[in-house]
Amino acid sequence: MLDVRRFDEATSLLAQLVAAEPESSRAWCLLARAHLGKERYTDALGAANRAVMMDPADEWPHRLASNALVHIGNYADALLAAEQACRLAPGFWQTHVCVAQAALAGHRLDAANAAAARARALAPNEPDVHFLSGKVSLSGGELAEARSHQERALALDPTHSGAMNELGRIRLRRHDPAGAIGHFLSAARVAPEENIYSRNIDVVILRTVSRAIYAFTLIALVLIWVPAATHVTRLPFVIGIGVLSVVTIGCFAALMLRLPRQARLLVRRTIRTPRVAGALALAVGGVAVAFGIVAVTPPQDVPQWFPIAVIITVAARLTAFAALRGAARK
């Protein structure tokens, strides 16, 4: 049941098992694993600690305790538990991966690198070893090395959704949101039960929209400033507005064309949500009002109305960002 992610049923059966055999370390370990699968980390830690009491010489309960402690946020104790597992079973690559995970969570990059290297030496053909090594490399800013590890993990296991997700994160660090979405989408297809992958897609879309709004309003501020400073006629001003609109739409269209069809549907779905659509409407509406003020004002009066146009534009941008932050939290 644990292998097919039926954690609730497994928890119920294992609870009966530990009640019947309270001295069984393996039963407590299995119960801890079931709790981890349902993200009940405090319960998982309790079960793992009971297993440690039953058989302190077994490395597995220490690894399970370390995993639970990482998710709880107690990184120091997580690393101690992982190191204890490693001392008990130094020949198991899993214990070194556990140390690397705990060290990485606690921002101990030196320890994470050393543990990942030992894991690779013990199991060079294990996908999870390269997956973890890639995460460590990415945390250290070694993008090429991180990509190499994740590609190796996928070569060993083409269905490794974690490696696909990490390749998406690497693409983001390379400022390639379209490529990142493609990898996140592949991960979501392979493991639809993992909400983090589809969540990552939404985060990329929201980040891209946020940057587009920032660039759009910044350029708009520059264009609004031009008539006030140079007293140009309305024609160049209108041309500037048109160019800004065309460039913005063109950049968005180019991004959409790079995405696979399913990703385009996700982008449209996200943009149509009330918060995101409202943020875009606020940004565009605020800029339109500011441009309107400058466009209809007589040239000699533009310097007087210019501060109002600026305030409207900045307020529209800040309000749009607030709406997007609300969408991200949601």
Side-chain angles (χ1 to χ4, degrees):
M1 289 185 180
L2 293 174
D3 289 339
V4 295
R5 304 182 64 83
R6 293 165 61 180
F7 298 118
D8 285 329
E9 296 174 59
T11 301
S12 178
L13 290 174
L14 289 167
Q16 298 176 33
L17 179 59
V18 297
E21 301 181 30
E23 303 301 314
S24 172
S25 172
R26 181 170 179 79
W28 283 107
C29 284
L30 290 170
L31 182 59
R33 186 182 167 196
H35 284 313
L36 285 172
K38 288 299 293 182
E39 300 181 0
R40 295 188 289 257
Y41 302 120
T42 302
D43 292 336
L45 179 60
N49 286 337
R50 287 293 298 269
V52 169
M53 293 172 58
M54 298 302 107
D55 188 0
D58 184 6
E59 56 81 27
W60 191 20
H62 295 283
R63 282 197 289 122
L64 292 168
S66 177
N67 194 337
L69 287 164
V70 165
H71 286 94
I72 290 171
N74 188 345
Y75 305 128
D77 286 346
L79 185 56
L80 290 175
E83 288 173 340
Q84 177 62 14
C86 200
R87 281 191 290 269
L88 292 169
F92 285 10
W93 63 265
Q94 293 93 333
T95 61
H96 296 285
V97 164
C98 187
V99 170
Q101 288 173 329
L104 185 60
H107 306 290
R108 290 280 307 279
L109 195 58
D110 53 344
N113 266 313
R118 287 193 292 270
R120 290 196 304 275
L122 289 169
N125 294 320
E126 174 57 48
D128 284 342
V129 169
H130 289 281
F131 165 66
L132 190 278
S133 297
K135 291 185 70 174
V136 174
S137 296
L138 181 60
S139 182
E142 301 292 336
L143 302 188
E145 186 177 327
R147 179 179 176 181
S148 176
H149 281 303
Q150 299 304 344
E151 288 177 345
R152 176 62 176 158
L154 280 176
L156 294 166
D157 179 8
T159 64
H160 201 299
S161 59
M164 298 175 190
N165 183 69
E166 288 301 305
L167 285 172
R169 292 182 62 211
I170 294 167
R171 290 273 193 167
L172 273 184
R173 293 283 289 272
R174 293 185 181 277
H175 308 290
D176 181 9
I181 289 176
H183 286 299
F184 293 146
L185 188 60
S186 297
R189 287 183 187 135
V190 172
E193 71 280 358
E194 296 288 348
N195 294 329
I196 186 63
Y197 303 146
S198 57
R199 178 65 176 162
N200 283 344
I201 295 173
D202 287 338
V203 169
V204 176
I205 295 171
L206 291 173
R207 183 184 298 180
T208 303
V209 171
S210 178
R211 289 177 176 175
I213 288 175
Y214 179 83
F216 178 75
T217 53
L218 182 62
I219 297 171
L221 282 172
V222 174
L223 290 175
I224 291 171
W225 172 83
V226 170
T230 62
H231 305 288
V232 298
T233 62
R234 287 188 174 84
L235 179 58
F237 184 58
V238 172
I239 292 174
I241 298 173
V243 170
L244 174 61
S245 302
V246 169
V247 169
T248 303
I249 295 172
C251 290
F252 180 76
L255 175 63
M256 292 290 284
L257 289 173
R258 289 190 57 199
L259 296 174
R261 181 176 179 277
Q262 187 175 352
R264 295 177 198 169
L265 296 176
L266 291 173
V267 172
R268 285 196 287 269
R269 181 206 66 188
T270 301
I271 289 177
R272 288 173 182 172
T273 58
R275 285 183 179 273
V276 179
L280 289 170
L282 284 168
V284 174
V287 169
V289 170
F291 271 124
I293 290 173
V294 175
V296 301
T297 301
Q300 65 273 16
D301 296 332
V302 167
Q304 301 174 18
W305 286 92
F306 171 68
I308 297 176
V310 170
I311 291 171
I312 291 173
T313 304
V314 173
R317 184 177 72 184
L318 294 177
T319 308
F321 283 171
L324 289 176
R325 281 195 296 272
R329 286 194 296 269
K330 186 175 179 181

